[in-house]
Amino acid sequence: MSGKVLILGGGFGGWVAANEIRNGLPEDYQVTVVDRNDSSCLGLSLLWLMTGDRDPDRISRSFSSLGRKGISFVRGDIDGIDPRRREVVVGGKTFSCDYLVVALGAELAPETIPGLQEAGHNFYTLSGADALRHALADFSGGRLVVMTTGPGYKCPAAPYEAAMLLEDFCRNHNLRDKTRIDLYAAEPGPMGVAGPAVSRAVRQMIESKGIAYHPEHQAVEADPTGRRLRFSNGVEADYDLLCYVPPHRAPGAVRESPLIAESGWVEVDRDTLATKFERVYALGDVVSIPLKLGKPLPKAGTFASSEARVVARNVVRDITGRGEAAAFDGRGECYVETGDGLTAYGEGKFYEDPVPNVVLHPPAPKWHDSKIRYEKEWLEGGIRSDEDFRRTG
Ligand SMILES: Cc1cc2nc3c(=O)[nH]c(=O)nc-3n(C[C@H](O)[C@H](O)[C@H](O)COP(=O)(O)OP(=O)(O)OC[C@H]3O[C@@H](n4cnc5c(N)ncnc54)[C@H](O)[C@@H]3O)c2cc1C
């Protein structure tokens, strides 16, 4: 039995898919990951990098360890994807395969808002969070603004956590009485897909820390010289330090391929993550899965890795005839760090009708410890499911 599985993207979802598929297939079946980087960094650690609690070179895992597990790694930019022929062009070279898994994540596009890139710090990238760490070290107080620039971005909790961690930072550095903190959000409320009770609870968490919350403010322009932001509703705001979540879109290679759908993302069967192309799957941030309440499933690592497990089981079953068919159940989990060493923890069944069923456990040290253990295991290359992780710690 021989053949090839090609996995595009070695991030959250691609890593799990590659490992699980490799574990389930005979040796002469080739499993290859393609990524433009030689390592992948953990999103949740970027918030700790930003506050100076992590070093930039300690929050990534290298793709070099894939080789030891019998997974080939090709480093390069994916220039083209032909899902009909299951062919991919990487740096001018064409790769074909029997099974294609697209896990290319979301592309960040700060340049689509004039002035934004020069005006502030994009804490959604390693370099941006690191630059913010240096800017914070020099910050002597003033107006600190956290901003989202579109209603859909990965990890709906992250900008709210960022605001609370920055508030914590200011308190611990004797800057709080000299600093006003504002959170301008493009969306109508925090974590809307989790339902009104969770949204209210998170809003209450940030407001109880004296962070001024301004929902439904869509930034249209930033003036880096005058340190001023302009929103589509005509409001303008000044800032001294700006920390922003950039607009997201599907990666260029996907946007230019037949995989792209009207939503601007890849459409898949919500149970199997199969695209409309034979033996082509897509998972994680690059897909959009509509939910009954009219919002898509959030983009988060918890979903990317669960989806990857489902894809892996079905690909292995298709090839070997072994194992049970798997279906993604829409479950996900999330940490909401609130400062002072505390973290809230949410668990949700997002496929439940008519609205997702999400429970948010109040902030506690035990969830914070759990987040730290999660980071450690992820950096070591772990691929346990969230459920297994929670059960055994
Ligand atoms: C600040 C922050 C905090 C977060 N906190 C959490 C959290 O607490 N919990 C949670 O569940 N999620 C969290 N996330 C979200 C999580 O990181 C993402 O949802 C997750 O990484 C998505 O996985 P993915 O596999 O779809 O994409 P990614 O992990 O982004 O992987 C995509 C890969 O594709 C590669 N790639 C893209 N285009 C190309 C190309 N053309 N050629 C070659 N390679 C390419 C990239 O280099 C990348 O390695 C957070 C994210 C951020 C930024």
Side-chain angles (χ1 to χ4, degrees):
M1 189 188 291
S2 68
K4 291 177 188 166
V5 182
L6 196 56
I7 294 149
L8 307 185
F12 233 94
W15 179 278
V16 173
N19 278 277
E20 297 270 9
I21 291 173
R22 177 70 285 163
N23 290 344
L25 290 184
E27 262 173 34
D28 47 4
Y29 223 97
Q30 223 181 75
V31 180
T32 304
V33 170
V34 185
D35 203 294
R36 59 157 62 106
N37 295 317
D38 58 9
S39 63
S40 172
C41 95
L42 180 59
L44 62 81
S45 307
L46 291 175
L47 302 178
W48 292 331
L49 171 61
M50 168 188 93
T51 53
D53 294 306
R54 292 291 182 279
D55 289 326
D57 52 354
R58 301 288 298 276
I59 59 170
S60 296
R61 62 186 179 194
S62 167
F63 296 139
S64 62
S65 65
L66 291 173
R68 289 196 291 277
K69 301 174 185 171
I71 300 166
S72 311
F73 176 65
V74 173
R75 185 172 181 189
D77 250 303
I78 295 158
D79 307 315
I81 306 169
D82 182 345
R84 291 189 188 91
R85 300 163 73 100
R86 288 189 298 280
E87 281 182 358
V88 176
V89 180
V90 186
K93 197 172 161 203
T94 301
F95 293 79
S96 59
C97 59
D98 302 287
Y99 289 83
L100 180 63
V101 180
V102 181
L104 289 171
E107 184 176 284
L108 306 178
E111 69 281 6
T112 55
I113 297 182
L116 183 63
Q117 257 174 320
E118 303 75 28
H121 300 279
N122 169 3
F123 64 91
Y124 263 44
T125 65
L126 189 64
S127 58
D130 195 34
L132 178 52
R133 172 170 74 119
H134 290 293
L136 273 175
D138 294 336
F139 186 59
S140 55
R143 191 154 177 196
L144 197 161
V145 168
V146 177
M147 180 169 79
T148 70
T149 55
Y153 49 85
K154 51 186 160 183
C155 192
Y160 297 91
E161 295 182 276
M164 290 189 276
L165 290 177
L166 290 167
E167 195 276 335
D168 182 275
F169 177 93
C170 289
R171 255 187 299 119
N172 289 325
H173 291 78
N174 295 322
L175 294 168
R176 190 62 184 102
D177 53 349
K178 293 184 259 176
T179 306
R180 178 188 158 99
I181 307 176
D182 289 272
L183 201 168
Y184 288 93
E187 60 273 18
M191 300 169 66
V193 69
V198 171
S199 190
R200 262 196 312 276
V202 176
R203 181 169 180 159
Q204 209 258 325
M205 285 173 194
I206 54 168
E207 289 183 333
S208 70
K209 292 173 184 291
I211 298 166
Y213 185 53
H214 313 274
E216 295 185 301
H217 278 62
Q218 173 62 58
V220 288
E221 199 178 350
D223 169 9
T225 316
R227 293 196 195 151
R228 207 164 168 74
L229 302 165
R230 199 162 62 75
F231 299 93
S232 60
N233 55 9
V235 171
E236 298 201 358
D238 294 324
Y239 67 88
D240 294 300
L241 185 60
L242 172 65
C243 324
Y244 68 85
V245 176
H248 288 35
R249 64 185 176 200
V254 172
R255 291 203 309 279
E256 285 151 26
S257 83
L259 284 166
I260 199 78
E262 220 172 285
S263 62
W265 302 95
V266 181
E267 268 169 23
V268 288
D269 178 291
R270 74 178 208 162
D271 299 323
T272 62
L273 290 309
T275 68
K276 62 183 178 194
F277 301 98
E278 206 186 341
R279 285 182 266 143
V280 179
Y281 298 83
L283 58 91
D285 290 354
V286 78
V287 306
S288 179
I289 299 180
L291 301 176
K292 288 241 165 74
L293 83 163
K295 294 181 166 66
L297 184 75
K299 297 192 184 305
T302 180
F303 300 118
S305 49
S306 300
E307 291 165 3
R309 247 171 233 110
V310 167
V311 169
R313 276 174 62 181
N314 291 336
V315 166
V316 167
R317 184 173 191 265
D318 214 37
I319 294 170
T320 64
R322 287 199 305 268
E324 295 291 309
F328 177 50
D329 59 8
R331 285 185 189 219
E333 327 207 324
C334 93
Y335 296 109
V336 185
E337 198 170 344
T338 59
D340 299 306
L342 298 174
T343 295
Y345 177 72
E347 355 181 34
K349 297 173 184 161
F350 285 82
Y351 280 0
E352 224 155 79
D353 280 337
V355 289
N357 174 2
V358 183
V359 177
L360 186 67
H361 302 280
K366 68 172 175 175
W367 302 124
H368 193 64
D369 295 344
S370 164
K371 188 177 178 185
I372 293 169
R373 282 199 306 276
Y374 183 89
E375 179 195 46
K376 183 171 182 292
E377 182 159 309
W378 191 94
L379 291 172
E380 286 166 356
I383 54 164
R384 274 197 295 164
S385 69
D386 288 352
E387 207 179 339
D388 285 347
F389 177 80
R390 204 181 53 248
R391 215 175 16 235
T392 53

